Amino acid sequence: MSKWTSAVGAVQLARMLAAQQPAGAAAAGARRGPAYRDLADGVRLLVTEGRLAVAARLPAERGLAAALGVSRTTVTAAYEELRARGFAVSRRGAGTWTALPPGRAVPTAGLQPLPPEQAGAVIDLGSAALPAPEPWLSSAAASAAADIGRYTTAHGHYPAGLPLLREAVAERFTARGLPTSPDQVLVTTGAMGALNLLLGHLAARGDRGAVEAPSYANALQRMRRAGVRQVPVGTGPEGWDMGQWRRVLRDAAPRFAYVVPDFHNPTGVLVPEEQRRDLVSLARNCGTVLVVDETMAEMAAGDGVVLPRPTAALDPGGSTVVTVGSAGKVFWGGLRIGWLRGPAELVRRLAAERAHHDLGTPVLEQLLTHRLLTEHLPQVLAFQRARVLANRDAVTAALRRELPHWSFTVPDGGLTLWVRTGVSGARLAAAGEHLGVRIASGPRFGVDGAFEPYIRVPLTVGAGLADEAAARLAAADAAAASGRAFVQEGTGTFVA
């Protein structure tokens, strides 16, 4: 590790450590061991849970001692303990910053779709995507097939997207409170296609990119492959840590920041409008492009949730925020239709660059998505939001019954539940594979292996299947807690 990428103040770290203690523990003076070891364990837990970023510069010993009300000797010994266990690195004149032990297994790949041949035997909680809304998707597909003849006499390449779909996407942005013209919209092959184009334009290998902690696993993996140096910033039940964002944008000077403010994946958090406005202002002042992922934006749990305006509506200059969207969550992931919204000049430039990539998105799928947006959207939204609400209630009830010691915040929408299990998420996921339930472990959603005690549970199954999934997760939890080893022929050990 060449240099710390963010910093934590003494008072802030003291608050984070105090929040770990059970109610009444501080007043009772309860300790598990020597004071320096308790302090080291507290910092280690903050790192492994992802609440304190890897490569975050720790406070000076004297300042932290004053903030905690302990001796400097205690802090010195705690830092030495962290270094000995691989959770801190120091350099003379540069300070001490957090780390992870060498050799620690860090899942860096996004979770792959479940192979079709396993669908009958395994409950798939790895993918946060719903089945298609019927009969509307099939109806739109029939209409699109009837329309395709108007386009077959030409080459079929539309690097910016079909004009009628760009217009429909622009109209949807406008209806949500963000006036948009078609020349500000670029149709892509899924939301990841939009992110790929943006990364190629915004960042060179070695550039910094700020990301939420936790964040969407596949986006993090794409950034790693692009050589982006990720700088994590905490996201919690109340939204973004604006103090951390202020420090990271000022000190790390990232080229871009990637955020998911609308039913965040994986936590489900809906970031308040005030925080969005503040982050847009900070990014504009620091020259950082804000890439806003809105793929979950319309997936409220029922029709009673008040949705904020799109984040780009809070960007008065129109040049700080670039929005990524998708038809995959509201309609169907099999469409592979996404888009980005930004300045018209950026859209023209990216459309020209696409000539070196895929030349455009399939025409038939664009026609299908256009039909869904212009003819069936109200019915589909009502159907999908009712489905999300029913699934959310079924999954949370099943988990509370089978695994009452797990903790989570029930989101107002989205397709994900972020669960603190109390055991290794990697062990739990491995045991689940053996027991017939597929789950994504927390470290997939963090930078450098953080969030080990967490898993992501998609809200994609209904009442009957939710009960069975929770029962299998309970069995996996018991196995992971005991350290029991599972071995499957040809794949090696699942739980060490």
Side-chain angles (χ1 to χ4, degrees):
M1 187 179 304
S2 60
K3 190 180 186 295
W4 57 275
T5 57
S6 60
V8 58
V11 174
Q12 180 192 12
L13 182 55
R15 285 199 300 265
M16 296 169 73
L17 291 165
Q20 293 178 327
Q21 299 185 28
R31 282 183 179 169
R32 296 183 301 274
Y36 80 88
R37 189 165 295 158
D38 282 350
L39 175 54
D41 285 344
V43 173
R44 177 187 57 80
L45 185 61
L46 288 172
V47 172
T48 58
E49 289 192 347
R51 288 180 285 160
L52 182 58
V54 176
R57 186 177 186 178
L58 292 168
E61 295 172 2
R62 189 185 305 277
L64 184 57
L68 293 172
V70 300
S71 70
R72 183 177 177 182
T73 302
T74 296
V75 177
T76 300
Y79 280 12
E80 179 57 37
E81 175 84 359
L82 289 167
R83 286 190 289 269
R85 297 172 67 180
F87 287 94
V89 177
S90 297
R91 183 180 300 132
R92 185 179 298 276
T96 299
W97 56 95
T98 58
L100 284 172
R104 184 184 179 94
V106 179
T108 57
L111 198 64
Q112 301 299 316
L114 184 73
E117 62 270 16
Q118 296 183 23
V122 178
I123 298 175
D124 186 11
L125 297 181
S127 177
L130 293 169
E134 293 290 16
W136 300 284
L137 188 132
S138 291
S139 174
S143 299
D147 291 342
I148 193 67
R150 291 188 292 162
Y151 297 88
T152 55
T153 57
H155 52 63
H157 298 156
Y158 296 87
L162 284 180
L164 81 173
L165 180 56
R166 296 174 72 192
E167 183 177 353
V169 172
E171 288 177 354
R172 184 58 188 162
F173 274 119
T174 301
R176 292 175 53 220
L178 176 59
T180 302
S181 60
D183 65 350
Q184 292 179 277
V185 174
L186 178 73
V187 178
T188 61
T189 307
M192 288 303 295
L195 184 60
N196 286 339
L197 285 171
L198 284 171
L199 284 176
H201 177 75
L202 292 174
R205 183 168 294 274
D207 283 345
R208 291 189 180 96
V211 297
E212 295 160 305
S215 186
Y216 177 45
N218 287 336
L220 294 179
Q221 174 67 355
R222 180 63 187 85
M223 292 177 208
R224 291 186 190 103
R225 290 185 174 179
V228 172
R229 297 168 59 190
Q230 297 167 346
V231 185
V233 186
T235 294
E238 304 304 319
W240 294 323
D241 184 327
M242 297 310 301
Q244 280 194 44
W245 272 111
R246 190 170 291 105
R247 286 188 293 274
V248 164
L249 293 181
R250 180 193 63 208
D251 298 340
R255 291 288 303 276
F256 71 93
Y258 170 79
V259 295
V260 189
D262 300 282
F263 305 125
H264 177 264
N265 185 355
T267 67
V269 168
L270 184 63
V271 176
E273 184 165 311
E274 181 180 357
Q275 292 183 13
R276 300 172 189 230
R277 189 186 307 276
D278 289 347
L279 185 57
V280 170
S281 178
L282 288 170
R284 182 173 60 250
N285 291 339
C286 294
T288 297
V289 176
L290 198 57
V291 179
V292 176
D293 187 333
E294 282 194 349
T295 54
M296 295 278 190
E298 303 212 58
M299 299 303 291
D303 292 326
V305 180
V306 178
L307 299 174
R309 288 180 294 166
T311 304
L314 309 174
D315 178 18
S319 60
T320 298
V321 178
V322 180
T323 303
V324 171
S326 170
K329 303 305 181 184
V330 172
F331 298 132
W332 185 44
L335 285 175
R336 307 311 311 142
I337 295 291
W339 49 78
L340 65 82
R341 180 214 180 266
E345 174 56 33
L346 173 66
V347 168
R348 287 192 292 271
R349 189 175 305 173
L350 292 178
E353 291 176 4
R354 271 187 102 174
H356 307 293
H357 298 282
D358 59 7
L359 293 176
T361 302
V363 173
L364 185 60
E365 284 82 349
Q366 291 189 69
L367 291 171
L368 197 166
T369 304
H370 171 259
R371 288 281 186 171
L372 287 168
L373 277 171
T374 58
E375 297 179 7
H376 304 296
L377 183 61
Q379 302 96 313
V380 170
L381 282 177
F383 178 83
Q384 296 289 58
R385 288 171 178 175
R387 178 186 270 180
V388 170
L389 178 59
N391 287 355
R392 185 198 70 179
D393 291 348
V395 169
T396 55
L399 291 179
R400 283 170 171 161
R401 181 179 62 254
E402 297 288 343
L403 293 147
H405 58 287
W406 285 10
S407 60
F408 50 83
T409 299
V410 179
D412 288 329
L415 295 174
T416 58
L417 196 66
W418 188 236
V419 182
R420 190 182 191 282
T421 67
V423 298
S424 163
R427 285 176 177 267
L428 185 63
E433 290 278 355
H434 179 83
L435 295 166
V437 59
R438 194 163 185 259
I439 202 75
S441 63
R444 294 182 183 275
F445 303 90
V447 176
D448 293 329
F451 302 105
E452 180 60 33
Y454 290 83
I455 60 172
R456 187 192 71 173
V457 179
L459 305 176
T460 53
V461 294
L465 201 54
D467 292 340
E468 177 60 25
R472 296 186 190 185
L473 285 173
D477 178 73
S482 68
R484 181 179 168 196
F486 289 103
V487 179
Q488 186 177 49
E489 185 177 355
T491 60
T493 301
F494 277 125
V495 181

